[in-house]
Amino acid sequence: MESPLPRGLDPKETPKHVMVPMYARIRRVAVEERMAKLAAYGETELPYNSMEIKDPSVGFISSGVSYLYTREVFPQYSFLKLGMVWPLPRKMIAEFFKTVKKVVGVEELDPFLETEIRAMGYRVWHGKDLIPAIGELSPVIIEQSLKKAVEGRRYQAPKMRIRPEDLPKRPPNLCAGCSHRPLFYALKKLGLFVFGDIGCYALAVAPPLSAMHASTCMGAGVGGAYGAGKALGKEGLGKICAVLGDSTFLHGGIGPLMDAVYNKGYSTTIILDNRITAMTGQQEHPGTGYTIQGEPASTVDFEQLARAVGVQRVRKVDPYRVKETMEVIREEVSRDEASVIITENSPCMLVRRAKPLEKFKNPSYGVDTDKCRGCKVCLEINCPAISWQEGEGQTKDSHKRKGTVFINKDQCVGCEVCVQICKSDAIVANS
Ligand code: SF4
Ligand code: SF4
């Protein structure tokens, strides 16, 4: 009888898709057969594994971008270029060792090729003994590492017109007006140990905010704060919290939050709801109300979701109101029960449909130099629109200063976070 299921859903193929031990043993045979076929293909037919024999005194075994860099630096020598690094083409490698005199393995990070080739019994002349195992390679690093060994000459650095250290420093930063900035400023002022997560807000780890202290993987911040509470007992009350974004919470935060409630933890989880998956490219998620294709869809209610896993205390804050936000966080982290704080009205600056600028009453702010005391407090929020200008002077009421801040009106979006922080009322709306 013909199967009533659509094409592609064949119950006869179940042994291929359910890896209980009785089927896994059978599939293992198939895996081994497939690997043997793949190895044979890599030896003979695969055009991306190739030997390029020129000067045979030195031969490089490499792949990917490391091959391209090495080829650029040492074009006159021989190469075994591997387009597929597993399974390795053993016969090709044997042939290469017969053809060239000395073999150098060039690869980024761990010595994978080098170790495997040594394990086959070959003598690799150089590899990770000269090439750094940390960071990405570049033609310059390859030349610096190998020039002396391969050509017997020292590496000569080319003359640079501009030294990298003289270039303006532009570390990555949260956007001007980003709602994460006041939230992390509040956490910093409260002196909390923050278990963070994966998202734009990980930028809060950098000075001057310096308000994230651990971040492992998606959802780990929630579990980390809960676990720290368990380990510290009452001593940790009022000192720790977890912070993660809306999409990260949906992806990996619900399970650990449920555990925190179920196991009677007391951690506070702050969900930064900016209505988008911001860092990875503005993708919609089940909490935004749109599918990834932009069609209207159901919307997860974060408060209901938190209550559904047992959280009794769910608070909402407008992170742009710094004082009120600090109060709510202070209250919740001090309680001996799991709680959730959700930021609201705080969409990502880049989500046009959410009209993030509409809530700000003035389009931009500037500095009243009659009042600015040069205390640098407003620089603590690390807004890219605010910079420091050296220059001795004084305020209208004769307070001496060593400089003032400057707000770039083209970058400022009028979020008023700096306005709330300045104790001298020196930040004023541009007319
Ligand atoms: S604007 Fe205000 S906070 Fe910023 S440096 Fe001047 S006085 Fe200090
Ligand atoms: S109001 Fe202040 S904190 Fe907000 S964007 Fe403008 S300069 Fe930055």
Side-chain angles (χ1 to χ4, degrees):
M1 195 181 77
E2 201 170 308
S3 167
L5 293 170
R7 227 174 128 238
L9 301 177
D10 186 352
K12 284 199 224 87
E13 294 214 323
T14 303
K16 241 176 106 174
H17 303 304
V18 183
M19 286 305 101
V20 291
M22 66 176 174
Y23 292 148
R25 280 192 283 271
I26 297 167
R27 292 308 297 166
R28 183 70 208 169
V29 176
V31 168
E32 291 300 327
E33 284 170 0
R34 194 165 53 220
M35 289 308 282
K37 277 187 201 158
L38 204 53
Y41 174 71
E43 297 281 7
T44 51
E45 291 169 62
L46 181 71
Y48 308 114
N49 284 348
S50 61
M51 261 198 272
E52 299 160 11
I53 304 301
K54 289 187 182 168
D55 180 344
S57 62
V58 178
F60 297 93
I61 299 184
S62 191
S63 74
V65 76
S66 306
Y67 158 79
L68 292 170
Y69 294 157
T70 315
R71 194 102 193 74
E72 193 177 320
V73 176
F74 300 112
Q76 68 276 36
Y77 293 102
S78 300
F79 280 81
L80 171 56
K81 175 195 158 225
L82 298 174
M84 180 173 78
V85 294
W86 194 259
L88 285 169
R90 301 176 79 93
K91 285 186 195 150
M92 240 180 176
I93 291 168
E95 185 65 29
F96 193 65
F97 270 86
K98 265 192 232 155
T99 312
V100 302
K101 241 180 168 167
K102 293 171 175 172
V103 171
V104 181
V106 184
E107 55 198 316
E108 279 182 347
L109 307 175
D110 287 336
F112 171 75
L113 295 174
E114 195 181 324
T115 308
E116 289 295 328
I117 292 167
R118 282 188 203 279
M120 291 176 197
Y122 297 109
R123 185 172 175 269
V124 178
W125 182 42
H126 285 301
K128 286 293 156 186
D129 56 328
L130 298 179
I131 300 165
I134 309 288
E136 292 177 6
L137 293 181
S138 69
V140 170
I141 294 172
I142 289 173
E143 199 172 349
Q144 277 172 339
S145 313
L146 298 175
K147 185 108 180 162
K148 183 88 192 341
V150 174
E151 295 183 339
R153 287 182 286 136
R154 284 198 166 280
Y155 167 75
Q156 292 280 336
K159 252 202 166 151
M160 285 191 202
R161 279 184 298 153
I162 303 170
R163 296 181 315 155
E165 53 271 32
D166 293 337
L167 291 169
K169 289 174 186 57
R170 292 195 188 94
N173 193 356
L174 299 166
C175 300
C178 173
S179 58
H180 299 336
R181 178 171 287 109
L183 192 284
F184 279 96
Y185 177 76
L187 295 175
K188 182 182 182 174
K189 287 287 139 190
L190 289 167
L192 299 181
F193 189 97
V194 178
F195 289 85
D197 227 287
I198 312 297
C200 291
Y201 45 89
L203 292 169
V205 71
L209 281 172
S210 308
M212 185 178 288
H213 310 101
S215 174
T216 315
C217 60
M218 286 199 165
V222 183
Y226 150 64
K230 280 285 168 198
L232 293 168
K234 298 274 183 267
E235 204 193 320
L237 266 180
K239 294 175 187 151
I240 51 181
C241 72
V243 179
L244 79 176
D246 44 358
S247 64
T248 311
F249 176 69
L250 293 174
H251 183 86
I254 304 165
L257 179 63
M258 191 160 49
D259 286 344
V261 181
Y262 174 65
N263 290 312
K264 305 187 193 311
Y266 61 66
S267 49
T268 297
T269 300
I270 303 174
I271 302 170
L272 307 173
D273 183 7
N274 68 352
R275 318 303 301 151
I276 203 75
T277 314
M279 185 179 72
T280 49
Q282 306 287 308
Q283 293 87 3
E284 303 291 348
H285 62 67
T288 66
Y290 295 90
T291 65
I292 200 126
Q293 289 83 15
E295 293 158 4
S298 60
T299 311
V300 171
D301 181 320
F302 290 103
E303 179 174 354
Q304 277 186 27
L305 182 53
R307 292 196 189 281
V309 298
V311 181
Q312 301 289 322
R313 296 193 60 83
V314 183
R315 310 275 301 268
K316 293 195 174 177
V317 292
D318 177 344
Y320 292 102
R321 300 163 80 107
V322 179
K323 225 167 139 196
E324 288 92 326
T325 299
M326 280 175 75
E327 271 318 304
V328 171
I329 298 173
R330 198 195 321 267
E331 267 176 51
E332 293 309 321
V333 295
S334 306
R335 285 180 183 275
D336 194 2
E337 67 178 301
S339 59
V340 163
I341 299 172
I342 303 163
T343 66
E344 58 180 356
N345 298 323
S346 50
C348 166
M349 287 293 112
L350 304 178
V351 182
R352 286 201 201 133
R353 65 163 162 68
K355 302 189 171 67
L357 303 184
E358 271 190 4
K359 67 179 289 182
F360 305 141
K361 61 178 190 279
N362 291 300
S364 68
Y365 282 77
V367 177
D368 180 346
T369 48
D370 282 345
K371 289 185 177 170
C372 177
R373 295 181 158 228
C375 68
K376 296 188 177 175
V377 166
C378 56
L379 293 174
E380 282 180 35
I381 56 173
N382 205 21
C383 173
I386 310 178
S387 56
W388 176 249
Q389 288 187 325
E390 293 283 342
E392 302 222 340
Q394 59 180 31
T395 58
K396 206 168 182 185
D397 60 359
S398 306
H399 179 90
K400 291 212 179 343
R401 66 188 177 207
K402 296 214 160 116
T404 58
V405 294
F406 167 75
I407 294 180
N408 182 337
K409 150 165 162 316
D410 296 330
Q411 277 186 293
C412 173
V413 295
C415 76
E416 290 189 359
V417 172
C418 58
V419 180
Q420 296 168 62
I421 285 163
C422 175
K423 298 278 181 293
S424 307
D425 296 328
I427 300 179
V428 290
N430 284 320
S431 46

